[in-house]
């Protein structure tokens, strides 16, 4: 096992995300399943990876990333207006509901933001886009 996180490390760690108001958004501790992160595979932003470099197994660290380095800014191109007739009792159009749309390459979840007589506004941005996020990480293992 490696002693500290480097650019090519595979890291097992718990990640807890908190919003600016201090409320928890998500945590791997809920199911006691640490996340496996491969440094340099582009699944994390460079700013996130920079915070991890040098940490050792057993270390904990808390840091805040601005929206652009966390889940990105809200992209207006990811907000779509769908015909109200596409929704029915199986797929009700209710504000706040998350609907998963199948598409080539996988499934895409969207949050219904607005409903009117003719259309339904669906936001396909990440639910945490546009927000600064505080991450608390607990390093379990480094390989």
């Amino acid at each position: 096992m490696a002693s500290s996180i480097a650019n090519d490390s595979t890291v097992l760690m718990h990640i807890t995300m908190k919003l600016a108001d201090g409320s928890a958004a998500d945590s791997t501790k809920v199911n006691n399943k640490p996340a496996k992160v491969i440094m340099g595979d582009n699944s994390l932003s460079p700013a996130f990876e920079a915070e991890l470099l040098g940490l050792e197994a057993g270390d904990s660290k808390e840091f805040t990333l601005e929206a652009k380095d966390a889940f990105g800014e809200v992209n207006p191109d990811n907000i779509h207006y769908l015909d109200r007739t596409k929704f029915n009792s199986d797929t009700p159009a209710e504000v706040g509901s998350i609907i998963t749309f199948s598409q080539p390459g996988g499934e895409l979840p969207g949050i219904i933001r607005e409903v009117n007589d003719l259309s339904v506004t669906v936001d396909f941005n990440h639910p945490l886009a546009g927000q600064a996020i505080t991450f608390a990480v607990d390093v379990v293992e480094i390989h």
Side-chain angles (χ1 to χ4, degrees), residues 12-18 24-36 58-62 135-140:
L12 206 57
M13 65 182 173
H14 279 293
I15 304 172
T16 301
M17 293 181 275
K18 292 184 254 184
D26 197 9
S27 177
T28 58
K29 291 182 177 180
V30 174
N31 298 317
N32 199 24
K33 287 190 177 158
K36 181 178 179 181
D59 283 356
S60 295
K61 182 176 185 180
E62 191 167 297
F135 296 90
V137 297
D138 298 299
V139 181
V140 179

